[in-house]
């Protein structure tokens, strides 16, 4: 009876919430009682239904399909490495369940059209070769580059974003995650860009530019001073209460900085009016490349990537790829799910995302030693004024007459006070 199932991929599987109709609430598959009163034996009851009760009559449904689409989509339980997960019921050959918003669809259609217009083949809703990830837009770039454009308009956890990126990276995909929320947990967690939150009607008009406001980094280096090349000291803590405060340490830094926070920033739209279409086309052509430094992801122009390698070497940061079995299935089951009581609020990201590659302390020049006519060094004044003194006093020590007078006057005042 369970043979006519289309099993969800691991990427889809671990993200699904599940609603139990008889109890009238979502189940917590992490708990022995599934989060319902007297539910200790409920899991065994559900498992005994296998092969006996049709999936549609087991009482498990997708809460998102019900809330967003008004559809009752049955679900069933699947075990992965000892963890119970919920999967949508689909017959073989049926497409995956999708609740994409109109804005989400518009972004996919726009990027696919723009890529095709610039000579790069693009396919909407394409899977990776291993079947572990589904790409919103697959773009076949130059020299074997494969881009996966992923607009992400809903809140997610950083853990979930890392897991989803891991599926794509292992499939040989260079992902471009597009966020509209400046505080999204995925910013910096995965290779990303940030664009404004625009309505679908505006996005679908190809002549309307979509500015890139974050995610594109530039390499800067220079003296950390008011007259230097850096806007502010990258190692000085950012004060959100005083965002215009600038501090300088006097040293020298080489940094990766978001282009909108760089000294060359030229306006609200970003570096030289960089648009999402231009970014995608250049990334597909290999003119922009993703980087990872200290767990933070972003994109660099290819020329600056070479400078990055010169500064940091060819070895990328090592990052353990999280297992899909350990993913946070509470993220959401599809795109653009609204706020939910089973998903944690995303962590707020504030302030600068400057990445320091190298720092050198301010180099002080050695003071020149004063010499007399014969080339011998002139000693410093005994009264610690810091200046060389060629005259010797009554004690045979180098001194200035003015410094002796000041010392005698100071002693006299002290004696009268005593």
């Amino acid at each position: 009876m369970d043979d006519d199932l289309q099993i969800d991929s691991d990427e889809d599987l671990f993200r699904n919430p599940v609603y139990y109709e008889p109890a009238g609430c979502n189940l917590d598959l992490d708990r022995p009682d599934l989060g319902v009163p007297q539910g200790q034996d409920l899991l065994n009851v559900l498992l005994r239904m296998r092969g006996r009760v049709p999936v549609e009559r087991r009482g498990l449904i997708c809460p998102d399909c019900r809330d967003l689409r008004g559809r009752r989509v049955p679900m069933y339980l699947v075990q992965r490495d000892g963890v119970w997960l919920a999967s949508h019921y689909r017959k073989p050959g049926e497409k995956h369940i999708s609740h994409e918003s109109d804005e989400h669809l518009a972004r996919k259609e726009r990027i696919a059209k723009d890529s095709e217009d610039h000579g790069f083949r693009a396919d909407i809703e394409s899977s990776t070769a291993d079947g572990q990830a589904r790409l919103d837009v697959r773009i076949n770039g130059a020299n074997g580059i494969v881009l996966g454009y992923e607009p992400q308009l809903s809140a997610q956890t950083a853990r979930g974003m890392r897991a989803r990126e891991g599926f794509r990276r292992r499939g040989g995909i260079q992902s471009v995650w597009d966020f509209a929320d400046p505080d999204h947990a995925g910013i910096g967690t995965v290779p990303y860009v940030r664009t404004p939150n625009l309505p679908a009607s505006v996005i679908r008009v190809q002549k309307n530019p979509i500015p890139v406001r974050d995610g594109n980094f530039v390499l800067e280096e220079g003296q950390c001073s008011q007259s230097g090349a850096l806007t502010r000291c990258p190692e000085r803590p950012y004060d959100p209460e005083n965002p215009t405060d600038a501090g300088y340490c006097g040293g020298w830094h080489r940094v990766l900085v978001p282009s909108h926070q760089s000294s060359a920033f030229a306006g609200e739209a970003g570096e030289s009016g960089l648009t999402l279409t231009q970014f995608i086309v250049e990334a597909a052509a290999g003119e922009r490349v993703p980087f990872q430094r200290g767990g933070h992801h972003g994109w660099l122009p290819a020329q600056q990537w070479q400078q990055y390698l010169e500064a940091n070497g060819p070895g990328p940061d090592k990052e353990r790829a999280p297992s899909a079995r350990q993913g946070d299935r509470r993220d959401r089951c599809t795109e653009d799910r609204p706020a939910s009581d089973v998903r944690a609020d995303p962590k707020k990201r504030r302030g600068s995302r400057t990445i320091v590659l190298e720092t050198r302390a301010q180099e002080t020049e050695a003071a020149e030693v004063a010499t007399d006519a014969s080339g011998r060094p002139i000693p410093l004044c005994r009264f610690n004024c810091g200046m060389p003194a060629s005259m010797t006093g009554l004690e045979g020590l180098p001194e200035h007459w003015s410094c002796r007078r000041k010392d005698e006057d100071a002693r006299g005042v002290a004696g009268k006070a005593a």
Side-chain angles (χ1 to χ4, degrees):
M1 187 175 294
D2 292 340
D3 293 338
D4 60 340
L5 298 179
Q6 178 69 45
I7 304 293
D8 282 339
S9 67
D10 283 344
E11 183 187 32
D12 296 316
L13 185 60
F14 76 85
R15 295 184 288 147
N16 297 334
V18 57
Y19 182 86
Y20 186 50
E21 291 177 310
C25 65
N26 285 4
L27 297 184
D28 185 350
L29 299 181
D30 288 331
R31 296 174 55 176
D33 62 357
L34 303 184
V36 299
Q38 301 177 351
Q40 287 79 4
D41 297 326
L42 178 57
L43 179 60
N44 291 329
V45 172
L46 293 172
L47 295 180
R48 284 198 297 268
M49 293 183 182
R50 291 178 170 180
R52 301 178 181 180
V53 180
V55 177
E56 299 94 329
R57 295 171 53 190
R58 297 178 189 175
L60 300 178
I61 66 171
C62 174
D64 291 346
C65 294
R66 177 200 60 192
D67 297 339
L68 296 180
R69 305 176 65 192
R71 288 184 53 188
R72 183 184 183 275
V73 177
M75 304 188 78
Y76 59 96
L77 300 182
V78 179
Q79 191 179 46
R80 291 289 188 270
D81 294 343
V83 178
W84 286 104
L85 309 171
S87 179
H88 292 91
Y89 172 67
R90 293 182 288 133
K91 294 183 178 180
E94 288 185 346
K95 294 183 178 180
H96 66 275
I97 305 298
S98 177
H99 309 153
E100 296 172 343
S101 66
D102 197 26
E103 290 77 13
H104 185 94
L105 290 170
R107 287 174 183 263
K108 295 198 304 183
E109 296 167 1
R110 169 70 180 272
I111 291 303
K113 290 179 181 178
D114 289 347
S115 300
E116 294 277 2
D117 289 347
H118 286 82
F120 297 111
R121 178 183 172 184
D123 298 308
I124 296 178
E125 294 298 332
S126 174
S127 297
T128 56
D130 57 10
Q132 295 298 309
R134 186 181 63 256
L135 309 180
D136 281 333
V137 181
R138 177 191 178 99
I139 303 168
N140 296 318
N143 301 320
I145 295 175
V146 179
L147 289 185
Y149 173 68
E150 308 289 342
Q152 187 64 61
L153 305 182
S154 63
Q156 296 282 317
T157 63
R159 182 180 182 183
M161 293 302 305
R162 282 192 293 267
R164 297 174 68 186
E165 169 61 17
F167 285 118
R168 289 154 176 78
R169 184 174 60 252
R170 291 189 291 275
I173 307 299
Q174 289 188 8
S175 301
V176 181
W177 295 90
D178 183 5
F179 302 113
D181 181 3
D183 292 323
H184 198 287
I187 290 181
T189 304
V190 294
Y192 74 101
V193 293
R194 182 171 63 84
T195 57
N197 191 9
L198 300 173
S201 58
V202 174
I203 296 173
R204 285 194 169 97
V205 179
Q206 285 186 276
K207 66 179 180 180
N208 289 336
I210 303 176
V212 172
R213 292 181 172 171
D214 195 0
N216 180 50
F217 284 66
V218 294
L219 185 70
E220 288 193 340
E221 58 183 271
Q223 199 72 21
C224 187
S225 64
Q226 191 167 3
S227 60
L230 303 181
T231 303
R232 59 174 290 113
C233 179
E235 296 182 339
R236 181 186 177 96
Y238 178 80
D239 182 7
E241 302 298 329
N242 189 14
T244 60
D245 177 46
Y248 304 97
C249 68
W252 180 92
H253 304 287
R254 177 183 286 120
V255 297
L256 293 173
V257 59
S259 58
H260 71 282
Q261 295 177 350
S262 69
S263 59
F265 177 60
E268 185 177 348
E271 176 198 11
S272 302
L274 179 65
T275 66
L276 180 59
T277 298
Q278 178 185 353
F279 182 93
I280 293 295
V281 170
E282 291 180 357
E287 297 175 8
R288 293 183 184 273
V289 292
F291 75 88
Q292 178 185 353
R293 172 73 177 185
H296 191 104
H297 295 258
W299 289 80
L300 274 173
Q303 292 181 346
Q304 298 206 4
W305 170 247
Q306 296 302 321
Q307 299 180 44
Y308 173 86
L309 292 179
E310 292 174 2
N312 300 276
D317 288 353
K318 300 297 182 182
E319 182 181 26
R320 183 180 62 86
S323 169
R325 316 319 190 216
Q326 301 171 353
D328 186 354
R329 71 174 185 276
R330 297 175 179 172
D331 272 357
R332 49 193 302 281
C333 79
T334 52
E335 299 298 337
D336 308 319
R337 184 163 69 89
S340 171
D341 57 356
V342 295
R343 185 181 69 246
D345 292 334
K347 182 180 178 181
K348 300 295 184 182
R349 302 179 66 91
R350 298 288 185 183
S352 173
R353 284 185 285 274
T354 298
I355 302 170
V356 181
L357 301 178
E358 183 181 356
T359 294
R360 293 200 299 266
Q362 183 179 13
E363 298 179 358
T364 57
E365 296 182 359
E368 295 184 2
V369 179
T371 58
D372 57 19
S374 60
R376 291 178 298 180
I378 302 176
L380 299 179
C381 176
R382 58 174 292 205
F383 294 107
N384 298 322
C385 70
M387 300 297 292
S390 56
M391 182 184 72
T392 55
L394 298 177
E395 296 83 358
L397 299 175
E399 63 179 34
H400 297 111
W401 181 81
S402 59
C403 292
R404 172 177 281 276
R405 290 292 304 270
K406 291 179 182 179
D407 181 70
E408 291 176 349
D409 291 344
R411 289 176 183 273
V413 172
K416 291 181 181 180

